[in-house]
Structures are given as structure tokens and as C-alpha cells.
Amino acid sequence: MFGKGAKRKLDEDEEGMEGKTLEVSLAGGGLGLGPECLSKVSYTLQRQTIFNISLMKLYSQRPLVEPSLERRVLINNMLRRIQDELKQEGSLRPLLLPPSPPPDDPMDEGFREAAPAFAVLSTASQSCLNHVDACPTPLEACLTPASLLEEDGGESAFCAPSPPTPPLSPPPVVPVPASSIDGFTSTLSDMELSLPTAITRTAAANTTTVTTSSPPGILLAEARCAELRSMDTLPVLPPGGLIDISSSPLSPGSSSSPSGFLSDLALDDVLFADIDTSMYDFDPCTTAGSMGLTAGGSLTKLSPVVTADDLLKSLASPYNGPTPQVSASQPFKIDLTELDHIMEVLVGS
Amino acid sequence: MVHVFLSLPPSPPLYLSLSLSPADIISTVEFNHTGELLATGDKGGRVVIFQREPESKTEPFSQGEYNVYSTFQSHEPEFDYLKSLEIEEKINKIRWLPQQNAAQFLLSTNDKTIKLWKVSERDKRPEGYNLKDEEGRIKDICTVTSLQVPVLKPMDLMVEVSPRRVFANAHTYHVNSISVNSDYETYMSADDLRINLWHLDITDRSFNIVDIKPANMEDLTEVITAAEFHPHHCNLFVYSSSKGTLRLCDMREAALCDKHSKLSDVKFSHSGRYLLTRDYLTAKVWDLNMESKPLETYQVHDYLRSKLCSLYENDCIFDKFECAWNGSDSVIMTGAYNNFFRMFDRNTKRDVTLEASRESSKPRAVLKPRRVCAAGGKRRKDDISVDSLDFTKKILHTAWHPTENIIAIAATNNLYIFQDKLNSEMH
């Protein structure tokens, strides 16, 4: 979480930072811009998406009945696997770090590792949105960078349509040789090539961008989760229920400890404590609690009921231009396996 | 060959499916050992037993029809005060005991408590008591002037279901399987982390035969997903895990199979030689004598590989599909999405996708094979594209008659019963 001194304005710094991060990360993959590079990026995106979905699943327990242990173990295994992978790729981290993290950064490893993917994601998705105009406004609202939530009372940040974000670059209709344009644009146009993947993950990434942050972020994640659930005809957690999670008697004060979140799950044992959740730093002592309340309340209205697939479909035709029918019946071929077939269906070895 | 299945009247709306209440969702289906009775359990804690009608002379096709025989409330919702959580009444499994006298017995379980039920018929009632009148009230002794011998008078058939045993307080986690041993005296119950062995007559004691709970729950990476006794050897049983491991146990523990993706179900073949497992995308047949790899692998819905992210997001990936053998162990059956279910003929290697729907299940209607065209694949007429599959319509529970080609398919709150065409024409 950013300290008070580290607050930033969206319109300049946010974009700049993400732009840089993207640039750096792509440069880090070699200037080749070849398919390996792209697939590496999309793999990272997929992995990050799955990581975030997994965390949300762990947090969005329906508290009425005892949650399924099997489901939790499977999600947990998934998280562990991804964390292991991230740890092994630790060497990449310096390259992908945000330019100037606050010196006393309370964020843990997980966040640092996670951050780059967020940055790439949100940049990619924002650029898509700007180019395509196919996304409903609420989606953009959801993409509001997490750092915004801490500013000016999260409520306004959420209720208002997302602040105007200057397009990163003019939409490159025809792929331009990298040499003719500065490096950044060319990376962008390359991002476009890998868009299928990026977009597929974008819907889930709505939550992605926000999950990392402050209390409102968590509420957003919860609200979004409820939306996901309602789509699946599971019982919907009412907004009030969401707020209960933060203020429930289950976590009186104890939640001020960074890793207190998992222990809030009604477990007879402290389960899965080795998944570091301090990135979901939760501090009810700050005013954010009440902020989150309103934000969470209004959010549920805003959150669009869009699945990754819906989004994929809605974005499919603009991108494939002349042959929309083909694209409709043939969803994007992701050159990567769907995150290795979701780790061969939930971390089978 | 893969059999042609006919809908068996009076299939839907054979089940009480007037309302679409979640309590009506069928959570388990099980034939008894002769196939004459079929029991379903639902989310509302009810058990419905269907009985196959005997053949009638006037209606040559009537044999095989299953009609409601008895309905009773097996489990009620409870509250776990220690955990402050509700214990759902949903019936997770039903197992019939082999019939030993006129009465039938079955075990039913929810997440925590297993119950033994006696199902018996009564078609006579005693009349003419000396000290009680017809309503059962004690007579004034002064009015009794003569003695008579009570007699049994025929009455309308009544099916009585009574609880015989309640096996409680032995499971900390959710019971996912029960299996009656071939010794007919014991059974086991498996939850996420432990398997207990019970004697059918003793409710206050059980023996823990498998415990995979780690000393430190942080180290937990695997849970038990299903367990079953060998059909003939009472010392053998198998259990499957979320990590895809099958363990064949004989009071010692030995790994049977190597690792694959999470298993949702395991079933011994009738012969006891093979094991059938179901994971999310495939069904596999294993030979007990070959633990290195499966004998056969069948793709149930491979086209979902490109959808797994969404299926993870909407929790479908955690769906627990069960699987079933036919009576001769030559065909296997398992469910899928969109009210589809799949059959694989082990000899001819042919497979078929069938649909359990109201349209296809008008009495005597022949089930038409369906085909899902994978994303990007060539689409034929009547093909269903992957994108239009309904993932809320899932067939998790299926059962195959122990000797005949009659199958029972639970599709959310509808029970469909289909019969092999050849089979029905013989009658």
C-alpha cells in the first residue's frame, strides 16, 4: 500500500508508470518482440488472473454452511503452484518493479511479483478499451486503478465514470514497423497482436487491478465476486453481506494484522497460513472502513455482469474486422494452453 | 455396440418437479442390487424410492416402468453450534444393503450423519382386539363380555419406512461416500480426510481406517473424494483423492495408480477386476493388476480445455461428476454439461453423447445422439457449439441397472429413466 506521501495523481503518474513498466517488462523479455515474448506476457497475464480468481474464491466464502474443504484445498494448491513459479522467476522481479516503490514498502513479495502483471494488464486493457470502444462504461469504472481508491474518498472515484485517461497512443490500424515509431508504440502494437489473450483475461482483470490494494479494493473484489456468483445462479451475497465481511464479529480488530484474513475463514484449524495474504493488507482502523462501505454499496450496482467469455465475444468482431462470423464461432486460439489447462485441471501432477 | 436408449415412461415429470426449488435438486441416484428399486436423494434431505412395475399382460411395454414407491424425509437441517454453521440436509449418498428378508434396508448420508432405514411393506392389519376398539382406544373392561381371536385382514398396501440406526458424530469433515462391504455386516464412510469402518449394528463406535489429515493443516494439499469396497473381497477397498491418486488398500496402504488430475469418482467394475475413475475431463479404466497407467482413457468433453478459465471462475471446475458401469462391465457412462451424458463402449471403442431433456424423453422416444463441435472445428447440422453449452445444466449423478440396460439420469431436479431399445422390445 502506498503511504500518504506516496499519493499520486492518475492522469500523469499512473499512466507513465504503467507505460514504463510495460516497456521495461517487454524489454526485459528481449527486444525481439517475438512470439515467445508475447506468449510469456500472456502466460503471466493468465497466471495472474488465475491467481486473483483463486484468492477471491478463498475470500468469498458463503458463511452459512461449512465451506467445502476439497474446493479450498484445490484453490490453495493452485495458489501455491503459482507462488512457487513466481518465486522461481524471482530474478525477473527487479526489472518488473514499479519505478520507485516507497522505501518502507509494507508490500510483500507477492505483491511485488504480482504488480507487474497488473500494470501490464491494465495498460493493455485500457489501450484496448480506448481503441475499441466496445466495452461498457462500467467496465472502465472497474478498471479504475487501485491507487485511486485511496484518494478523494473512494466513493467518488467509483461512482463517477472513470476519469478520462489519455490514450496511450493512436490506434495503430496497420502494424507499423518498429523502427519507424518509438519503442513504446511498437510494443503496444505488439500487444495488439497478443490481444486475444489479453482481452480474454481482461474481464477477470477488472478485479485484478483492484485486488491488490486497500480496504475498498477488497470490498470491490468481494462485490465483484458476488456478481460472479450471481451469474452462476449461486446464492448472491447481498451488498450488506459483503460489508459484514469487513465488519463482522469474526474479525474484531484481529484483522488489523496483515495475515489475519485467512484466519477469518471459519476453520477449525489455521489452514493455508503459508499463503501470504499480506498483500491484501486490511486495516479497519483507518477511515477506509466507512469509505469502503459506501464504495462497496455503490459498486455492486456498477459491476457489470460480464464474464471473460462475454467480453471476449464482444471484443471479437472489432478485432477480426472483416470476418466477424468466423470469429464468433471460432474463439481466439490461445497459443498457450489455458494456463496449461488450468494446471491440468487443478494442479494434477 | 453402444446401445440405443429409449425413454422409459412415465419418465419426466416422474419426479416431483413442479417447483424449481433448490431443495428438489437430485443429489444422488442408486439402484438396489436387483434393480427393482431405485432411490434418489435430494438437496432437501428427502429420499424418493421408485419401484419397477411388474409386467402386465394387457400392456406389453409396461415392464420397466418405475413408479414412486415411497417418499420420506431422511435428514433435517441442523446447526453446528461449535462451528456456528448450518449442516445441510442434502443427501450426499445412498447405498442399498443386499436384501436378506422381506424388508429392504438402505443407508443415506448427509455431510455428517449416516442413517440406516428399513423399508417394508404392510398389506394386512390385525382386527378384533379384545381390549381395544377399532380406533385403538382401551375398552371399558365392563363392556367386554366375550373373547375373540384377533384376525389379520387385508388392507391397501402400505410402505413403511422407519429409521433403524443413526451413525453420528464420527465425521469432522463432509462425508462424500458410503460403501457397504461384501461381508454384509460392515460399511465404510469417507469424508474429506478420513475413512471410518462401521458395523451395521453398532452406532456408537467406528474404526478409523484411513486418515490423511496432516499434523499441521497448513500442509494439507489433498483430500479424499470417493471410496468404495471391492465387490467380492471384503478386505479390499479403494479411495480416490483430489490429487488424482487412487489407493487400493488392504489394511496396508499401497498406491495403485500414478498421479493425474483430481478425481471426482471411483467405481469398481462388477467383476472387481477394474476400476473406473472420473476426473474433470476424462474417464479412465484401470486394471487392478497394472498400476502404472490406465488401461483405457476416454475423453468426456475435451472441447472444454479452452474454457477452463471461465469454468474455474464460475466454480464449475469443482463439479463432481460420477461414473457408472453397465451390468457386464463392457460400457461405461458418465455425465457432462448441457444435460448431456456420455457412454463409451470398451470393446468397439465407440462412444455416444446423449441428452436428457423433456423433448427427447417423451415415452418411447428414441434418444438421438448429440454432438458438440469444438471451438474452431467444422460444424455440422444439429451440432452444438461449445459456446452455447449450458453449464448450469449438469448431469453429475447417473446409475445403471445392475443387470439390464436401464439407466437413471439425474438432471438437476428431473430424474430420467431410459431403457435399451433391444431390451424393451424383447418384452
Side-chain angles (χ1 to χ4, degrees):
Chain A
M1 216 187 292
F2 296 102
K4 279 196 173 157
K7 281 186 180 176
R8 291 163 300 142
K9 288 265 181 270
L10 170 83
D11 38 355
E12 311 129 31
D13 301 343
E14 198 64 24
E15 291 299 323
M17 188 201 87
E18 282 166 5
K20 266 181 219 157
T21 319
L22 172 66
E23 199 173 8
V24 169
S25 69
L26 286 177
L31 281 168
L33 303 170
E36 323 89 52
C37 170
L38 290 174
S39 66
K40 201 177 279 176
V41 170
S42 58
Y43 183 82
T44 314
L45 296 181
Q46 272 187 1
R47 186 171 60 189
Q48 193 59 47
T49 305
I50 297 295
F51 188 79
N52 293 319
I53 293 176
S54 305
L55 277 170
M56 283 189 304
K57 282 182 183 300
L58 280 186
Y59 291 154
S60 61
Q61 302 288 345
R62 277 171 294 158
L64 282 183
V65 294
E66 194 176 356
S68 155
L69 183 67
E70 180 186 352
R71 178 174 175 273
R72 229 174 326 142
V73 165
L74 291 170
I75 296 170
N76 197 59
N77 287 349
M78 178 73 86
L79 284 169
R80 280 180 182 151
R81 169 74 71 91
I82 295 176
Q83 274 205 336
D84 287 348
E85 274 191 36
L86 288 171
K87 269 177 197 148
Q88 281 170 13
E89 295 166 14
S91 55
L92 281 175
R93 207 187 311 147
L95 273 177
L96 300 172
L97 262 184
S100 56
D104 268 321
D105 196 347
M107 294 185 294
D108 69 351
E109 305 262 295
F111 178 72
R112 276 187 214 143
E113 286 155 352
F118 293 145
V120 170
L121 246 187
S122 52
T123 314
S125 52
Q126 277 173 17
S127 61
C128 315
L129 295 178
N130 289 334
H131 295 330
V132 178
D133 278 340
C135 288
T137 334
L139 246 185
E140 276 195 60
C142 274
L143 287 170
T144 308
S147 55
L148 254 191
L149 302 180
E150 285 180 315
E151 300 205 351
D152 312 316
E155 197 182 349
S156 59
F158 271 110
C159 296
S162 85
T165 47
L168 290 176
S169 70
V173 182
V174 184
V176 194
S179 55
S180 66
I181 296 186
D182 66 301
F184 180 56
T185 319
S186 65
T187 50
L188 240 192
S189 66
D190 244 301
M191 284 303 295
E192 293 232 53
L193 291 180
S194 69
L195 262 181
T197 328
I199 293 172
T200 331
R201 305 292 146 244
T202 304
N206 298 336
T207 57
T208 309
T209 31
V210 193
T211 351
T212 44
S213 69
S214 49
I218 289 169
L219 284 167
L220 172 56
E222 300 281 3
R224 170 71 179 156
C225 252
E227 289 292 333
L228 290 177
R229 292 190 161 277
S230 69
M231 277 183 282
D232 308 323
T233 68
L234 285 168
V236 185
L237 229 51
L242 296 178
I243 290 147
D244 276 348
I245 291 169
S246 58
S247 58
S248 94
L250 275 177
S251 53
S254 70
S255 40
S256 56
S257 79
S259 56
F261 225 94
L262 275 182
S263 50
D264 290 348
L265 304 176
L267 289 172
D268 52 344
D269 306 89
V270 181
L271 240 188
F272 316 137
D274 63 331
I275 292 291
D276 197 340
T277 55
S278 46
M279 70 186 84
Y280 297 83
D281 201 357
F282 186 76
D283 188 2
C285 300
T286 66
T287 54
S290 55
M291 244 172 60
L293 208 113
T294 40
S298 55
L299 249 177
T300 40
K301 286 174 224 143
L302 276 177
S303 307
V305 183
V306 179
T307 63
D309 280 333
D310 290 342
L311 187 62
L312 180 116
K313 274 176 216 150
S314 71
L315 287 179
S317 29
Y319 268 87
N320 285 341
T323 54
Q325 323 91 300
V326 176
S327 70
S329 63
Q330 299 181 332
F332 295 105
K333 277 264 181 204
I334 300 165
D335 54 338
L336 264 175
T337 57
E338 188 105 336
L339 191 57
D340 292 338
H341 302 301
I342 308 293
M343 305 291 190
E344 201 52 40
V345 187
L346 306 192
V347 200
S349 40
Chain B
M1 60 160 277
V2 170
H3 303 271
V4 177
F5 276 86
L6 282 175
S7 181
L8 208 55
S11 300
L14 174 134
Y15 199 72
L16 319 159
S17 59
L18 290 174
S19 68
L20 265 167
S21 142
D24 294 335
I25 294 173
I26 300 175
S27 51
T28 183
V29 190
E30 188 74 12
F31 279 104
N32 76 342
H33 293 258
T34 60
E36 292 307 300
L37 297 175
L38 172 69
T40 64
D42 67 22
K43 264 195 108 184
R46 282 163 302 190
V47 172
V48 180
I49 302 173
F50 300 90
Q51 185 188 41
R52 192 179 190 185
E53 294 301 315
E55 189 172 8
S56 84
K57 296 264 167 2
T58 49
E59 296 170 76
F61 285 118
S62 68
Q63 211 219 345
E65 291 180 22
Y66 283 79
N67 291 315
V68 176
Y69 179 63
S70 178
T71 305
F72 64 99
Q73 188 74 33
S74 169
H75 286 70
E76 301 277 358
E78 289 175 79
F79 194 75
D80 183 335
Y81 292 96
L82 292 177
K83 292 183 179 172
S84 260
L85 292 168
E86 278 175 27
I87 300 171
E88 284 180 294
E89 64 272 32
K90 183 182 119 202
I91 307 297
N92 290 343
K93 275 283 176 334
I94 291 174
R95 285 291 179 270
W96 291 89
L97 271 61
Q99 190 171 10
Q100 284 167 311
N101 54 34
Q104 294 272 0
F105 289 86
L106 65 81
L107 288 166
S108 64
T109 186
N110 68 348
D111 285 342
K112 303 283 179 184
T113 305
I114 304 134
K115 294 183 180 177
L116 176 68
W117 295 91
K118 179 184 180 184
V119 184
S120 53
E121 291 182 354
R122 200 140 62 104
D123 59 358
K124 291 185 181 66
R125 63 188 181 95
E127 265 181 33
Y129 285 113
N130 288 294
L131 299 175
K132 285 189 285 185
D133 64 14
E134 297 308 314
E135 274 82 49
R137 286 178 300 227
I138 302 291
K139 287 183 194 167
D140 185 353
I141 201 80
C142 307
T143 63
V144 180
T145 54
S146 63
L147 287 177
Q148 54 182 342
V149 178
V151 288
L152 288 174
K153 290 271 180 69
M155 58 174 235
D156 288 343
L157 181 71
M158 203 168 76
V159 180
E160 285 182 327
V161 181
S162 53
R164 277 313 166 95
R165 308 259 186 276
V166 177
F167 306 89
N169 303 320
H171 285 281
T172 312
Y173 303 96
H174 290 182
V175 177
N176 53 48
S177 303
I178 41 179
S179 177
V180 180
N181 201 347
S182 54
D183 64 9
Y184 299 174
E185 291 202 330
T186 57
Y187 76 93
M188 67 174 167
S189 56
D191 68 22
D192 293 318
L193 298 178
R194 298 193 182 96
I195 302 179
N196 293 331
L197 182 67
W198 302 82
H199 192 281
L200 280 164
D201 289 334
I202 301 168
T203 59
D204 60 355
R205 193 182 316 151
S206 68
F207 298 94
N208 182 239
I209 50 175
V210 172
D211 187 349
I212 64 165
K213 185 180 177 188
N216 184 352
M217 280 294 271
E218 286 176 30
D219 301 331
L220 180 65
T221 60
E222 185 173 22
V223 297
I224 297 167
T225 52
E228 192 179 56
F229 271 117
H230 189 283
H232 312 307
H233 302 294
C234 64
N235 53 323
L236 290 180
F237 69 94
V238 68
Y239 72 88
S240 59
S241 88
S242 60
K243 274 195 170 174
T245 318
L246 279 179
R247 288 197 186 86
L248 183 66
C249 301
D250 186 358
M251 296 312 133
R252 59 201 150 108
E253 242 175 59
L256 172 66
C257 309
D258 59 359
K259 290 180 178 174
H260 289 267
S261 49
K262 83 174 161 81
L263 297 174
S264 54
D265 197 18
V266 57
K267 292 267 168 63
F268 271 106
S269 64
H270 295 275
S271 68
R273 169 151 187 199
Y274 304 105
L275 282 167
L276 171 59
T277 63
R278 174 69 210 267
D279 57 48
Y280 192 62
L281 294 175
T282 68
K284 295 192 176 87
V285 175
W286 303 78
D287 188 329
L288 255 60
N289 301 317
M290 185 173 75
E291 61 183 76
S292 59
K293 59 176 171 28
L295 209 58
E296 297 145 24
T297 300
Y298 301 98
Q299 300 295 337
V300 178
H301 37 210
D302 208 40
Y303 43 79
L304 293 185
R305 280 187 190 276
S306 61
K307 286 239 167 251
L308 286 176
C309 197
S310 313
L311 293 167
Y312 183 48
E313 201 173 2
N314 66 16
D315 264 7
C316 281
I317 207 166
F318 301 109
D319 286 336
K320 296 186 72 167
F321 291 101
E322 296 173 0
C323 48
W325 294 90
N326 74 337
S328 59
D329 296 340
S330 60
V331 181
I332 59 172
M333 169 175 66
T334 189
Y337 291 106
N338 208 51
N339 276 353
F340 287 170
F341 59 98
R342 303 265 287 146
M343 284 188 193
F344 303 94
D345 188 306
R346 300 181 55 213
N347 300 321
T348 63
K349 301 297 171 201
R350 285 179 56 193
D351 67 276
V352 68
T353 303
L354 300 171
E355 180 182 12
S357 70
R358 283 170 185 275
E359 299 80 59
S360 68
S361 54
K362 294 187 190 87
R364 322 308 311 177
V366 176
L367 289 189
K368 229 177 22 179
R370 307 301 304 260
R371 193 171 165 272
V372 178
C373 93
K378 212 176 237 171
R379 191 159 165 200
R380 287 188 241 153
K381 190 171 164 284
D382 293 338
D383 277 3
I384 298 101
S385 104
V386 183
D387 291 317
S388 50
L389 292 178
D390 186 342
F391 292 107
T392 63
K393 291 180 178 162
K394 47 191 96 174
I395 291 179
L396 303 176
H397 317 285
T398 63
W400 203 308
H401 188 288
T403 50
E404 294 176 31
N405 282 325
I406 295 174
I407 55 174
I409 309 284
T412 50
N413 59 339
N414 290 299
L415 177 69
Y416 296 92
I417 302 175
F418 302 111
Q419 182 178 35
D420 188 359
K421 196 179 170 190
L422 300 173
N423 191 340
S424 71
E425 277 169 356
M426 283 183 339
H427 294 290

